[in-house]
Amino acid sequence: MNISFADHKLPRAGILLLTQPKGTAFRGRAAEIDKKTGGALKRAAKAADFQGEKGSFVELMAPKGVSAARVALVGLGDPGELTGLEAEGLGGKIAARFEKGPDKDLTLWLDEAKGLKLEMDELAARIGLGLKLRSYRFDKYKTKQKENGKPKLAKAVIMSDATAKARRTFGELSKVADGTIIARDLVNEPSNILHPVEFAARIKANAPEGLKVEVLGEKQMEKLGMGALLGVGQGSRRESQLVVMRWDGGKKGEAPVAFIGKGVCFDTGGISLKPPAGMEDMKGDMGGAACVTGLMHTLASRKAKVNAVGVVGLVENMPDGNAQRPGDIVTSMSGQTIEVINTDAEGRLVLCDALWYTQDRFKPKFMIDLATLTGAIMVALGQEYAGIFSNNDELSDQLFNVGEREGEKVWRLPMGPAFDKMIDSKFADMKNVGGRFAGSITAAQFLGRFVNDVPWVHIDIAGTAMSSPATDINTSWGSGYGVRLLDRLVAEHYEG
Ligand code: BES
Ligand code: MN
Ligand code: ZN
């Protein structure tokens, strides 16, 4: 959808949409349009019992006195309570309501509302953001979509008294939305197309200006001793890849913040094969890597004043004559050995080498990893909260607070020596599963063994990255979860 900002002007066609606060009489522009229509707008509102409730609509078809095909009202609720997130939700609802057409154009008139909490530019930009995120579609493989099934709404012009400022604010927010959309696209892409080599190639090809990208293949990873990551990929025909993205927007020589993503391009479970039902969802098992890719894109394109590295471990977990077996013992880059009890607990094997590499090479200020790591996180938290696990209270609290405000929520779960015992192995330094109980925690505890003194958070996004319930601003299977959360974390706490 094309979204733009302009000063108030009557549209010649399409939909003219006005805002109406809850429970007040028509004022300003709504009163002006009502007058032009000979009072029809007010009568329509009355007939529909429209009270300006947040997100409610009333619509008037082909009214006399204006050339727009439709005039509509959207309720703002109480302007004193409307938050930025709710304004995005309104944008989403507007897209949902009008996308089917037949009109291609929508003009939204924003009026001063008494007691409005948000600045006008913020209101306009957040509605624009909601429109943009909600109208995302992944339909490139639908060759037979019927004309009447396709969305018609193509253009939205948001008119206010703060045009220039709104345009600027939207421009900034848009860069975060672009990162989210990159992540959604990657998660939605099927695994026959998006295998590790293709994923790495796309990162390289689509890197914004100033983002440095290095791709390490299996030979280089062997030299580095990444036996855990390589063990996961050894049953695949596709070469495993480790991609390092660097954005140096901060002070020269200052330690970077680091983001590490699980990129299992398809997870069959390996020799510990998964049951068939729902296995197709495992095309999204690279949601962590997708988020890191989208985030690095956003940081670079908004020229964030921070040094940041993104590292993604890209593999395919396949059963094959060359695949690793239950009972195999691999040596990780850290030197620690791992007994692979279950080849389906592969994410931690990929991440442990990626974490160690990042810590060793970059000496980061902190490390945050994202992974669709365990089904158990959905049993514990459902699909609205991601689980976080950490050795650092400050970083955890920062993430929690940012998450609440950005609508990408996290909830912290415990770690500790009691869980450590569960992953001790008879034959090696540790095993890759801890039994039936506390599955998400033992996975985190495993990762913790590869983190030295650096502040670290592990985010388990198995419930939030894909197949999560639709919201006002997302109906895509791949949600792009995490890009906003981490971009905001950086913006609020680690820039300048
Ligand atoms: N990728 C899965 C976790 C997952 C499950 C993500 C469902 C999204 C939706 C992970 O690699 C996995 O298989 N985990 C196992 C761990 C177990 C073998 C200890 C799981 O959760 O069952
Ligand atoms: Mn698995
Ligand atoms: Zn997996």
Side-chain angles (χ1 to χ4, degrees), residues 262 264 267 274 282 285 317 344 346-347 372-373:
K262 169 180 172 182
V264 176
D267 180 13
K274 284 182 181 298
M282 287 301 110
D285 207 19
N317 188 21
D344 196 13
E346 84 298 342
T372 49
L373 204 63

Side-chain angles (χ1 to χ4, degrees), residues 327-344:
D328 282 6
I329 294 176
V330 295
T331 303
S332 66
M333 184 182 173
S334 74
Q336 300 177 92
T337 56
I338 304 159
E339 184 186 10
V340 180
I341 298 291
N342 188 325
T343 64
D344 196 13

